[in-house]
Amino acid sequence: MIHSQAAMSANVQVLFIDMTCAEDNAIIRGIKQYRLKRDNRIIMIAPNRVPGDPTITALISLQVLDFISFTVEVDEEEETRESISYLVKQQLNKKPSYGNVARWNVQTENAIERSEKARLEKKTSRNKSDDQYSRTLLEELEALAGQDSGPRREIIKQPELIIMEKMLGTALIAVGGTGRRTGASHTAIQISNILQELSESVACVELLDPNAGKPVFKKFRSGDQSASVEGGFRYKEVDYYPEADMKQYLRVLSGKYDYIVLDLGDCLNNQYYEEFFRAQVSILTCGSSVWDFDDLLNALDHLYQKGWNKHLCILVNLGDDEAFEMTAKTFSKKEKKHMNVDFYQGPFQPDPFLIDDDNRRNYESMLDEILPTENKKKRLFGGFFRR
C-alpha cells in the first residue's frame, strides 16, 4: 500500500490499493484520512472478496467506487497476480459510479424486490403479533377518528371534464433526520408555514423520544394562544404540539386538520419511526459533509430493510452548492429512479419562520402530490431544485 502521507503529497490521479497488504481496519482508517485531503479515484485490488464484505461496505461509504475482485488459491497467488492487468484496464475504462459497486453492498442490492418481500413479511407478522404499540395505534385511530384517517382525493366532474381536484381528509407529512442536528425541526417548521399559507388548518407535532433529539418547539411557545386540540399552542397561525406522546398525537390526528407535519428528529432511532412510513410525504434530512454520507447510506439501508417502497425526498442541509452536488451526484439518475428518491438542497436560513421564493418553490416541489391542483398550476418551476 502507498503510505498515506506520500499519497497525499504526491500528484495522484488514480490510487491503487492492494487489500491484502494490511489489516482491514488499517485500510479503512487510512482511506478516511486520505479522503479528508483528496477526492480522486481509488481502485481496490480485492482478491477473494465477495458481496456483503463489511470492509467493502465501509469503503463504499467513503466514496470508493472501484473494486477488482477475483478468486485466488493460496498456492497460486503469485501466478494469478500476474494475469490481472486486463482487469485493471477494464476497470479504468469504466466511469466511477455507485452503480459499479451496488452489487457489493447486499444491503442495497435488489432493493425494490427485497422491499416488497419485507413489506409482505412485516404485514404478516403484524397480523400475528401481540405488539401493544401496533394494536393501540390502529384501535385508537378508529375510536378517535371514527373513520379512515388517510387522505382521499375527491374529483368533482362534469361528463368527461374534471373541474377541480383537491385533497380531502388529513395529509400527513413526516420529517426525520439521518441523525441529530440535521435540520429536521427547522424543516418541519418551514413546511408548516408554507402549508399555512394554503390552508387555515395546519398542525406541527414534535413526536420525539429521549433518543431521537432535543425538543425545540417549547422555545417559541406563545403566551395565551391555545391550539385547536388541548396540549398545544398557536404561533403564526400554526398549531404546535411540543414533546407529544402517542396519545397526544392521536388526539391531533382526530382534530380534523388539513395538514399535519411531524417532526421525528433522528427518526431511525425514534420509537415512533413507523409514522415516517405512514406519511403521504416523507422527507429525510441529512448533512452534506463527507462523514455525513455514511449516515445517509445507513439510513437508506435501514429504510429498505424495513420495507420502504415509496417515494422519498432527501433534503441535504448545512452545505453550499458544491457540497450538495457532491452528495446528490453520487447516485446516478438511473439509481435515483430505481430507489425512487429525489435530492433537494436545504436553505441557508437560520430563522425557520423566514422563507424566500427559491426555498418556497423547493418545498412546494416536495409537497407536490398533496397540494391542491390550483396551487400546482402556479408553480411553473416547482421541480427546478430537484436532483
Side-chain angles (χ1 to χ4, degrees), residues 126-247:
R126 277 185 179 175
N127 291 336
K128 296 180 180 179
S129 174
D130 289 330
D131 180 71
Q132 185 63 36
Y133 165 70
S134 298
R135 291 203 319 273
T136 300
L137 178 61
L138 295 176
E139 291 172 0
E140 291 201 39
L141 274 174
E142 284 189 22
L144 291 173
Q147 57 184 3
D148 179 13
S149 62
R152 306 182 303 279
R153 289 188 179 273
E154 177 184 67
I155 299 177
I156 304 172
K157 295 184 179 180
Q158 290 181 355
E160 306 300 325
L161 177 65
I162 298 177
I163 302 299
M164 180 176 65
E165 182 178 317
K166 62 179 181 178
M167 188 75 74
L168 291 181
T170 299
L172 182 63
I173 303 96
V175 183
T178 58
R180 293 189 177 187
R181 309 299 295 173
T182 61
S185 298
H186 185 282
T187 301
I189 294 170
Q190 290 216 311
I191 288 175
S192 298
N193 281 273
I194 289 285
L195 293 173
Q196 184 276 325
E197 298 174 2
L198 307 175
S199 169
E200 296 180 356
S201 180
V202 178
C204 190
V205 182
E206 195 173 44
L207 192 62
L208 306 177
D209 64 30
N211 296 320
K214 184 178 179 181
V216 298
F217 288 3
K218 61 184 179 182
K219 298 294 184 181
F220 56 88
R221 178 187 290 275
S222 61
D224 300 328
Q225 286 189 300
S226 298
S228 298
V229 177
E230 183 180 358
F233 64 93
R234 182 162 296 177
Y235 187 73
K236 294 185 180 295
E237 305 305 319
V238 175
D239 286 354
Y240 289 93
Y241 296 90
E243 300 183 82
D245 57 15
M246 182 54 66
K247 289 185 178 180

Side-chain angles (χ1 to χ4, degrees), residues 112 115-116 119 277 303-304 307-311 340:
I112 291 180
S115 295
E116 180 63 17
R119 184 185 68 81
F277 284 72
L303 289 173
Y304 287 117
W308 185 266
N309 60 358
K310 62 179 184 177
H311 182 246
N340 199 11

Side-chain angles (χ1 to χ4, degrees), residues 314-343:
I314 300 177
L315 182 63
V316 183
N317 287 319
L318 311 172
D320 56 12
D321 293 345
E322 183 179 355
F324 170 71
E325 292 291 339
M326 183 180 297
T327 300
K329 290 189 175 180
T330 300
F331 301 90
S332 68
K333 290 183 178 180
K334 184 177 180 180
E335 290 161 356
K336 293 173 188 174
K337 183 177 180 180
H338 178 73
M339 299 173 68
N340 199 11
V341 301
D342 285 304
F343 285 81

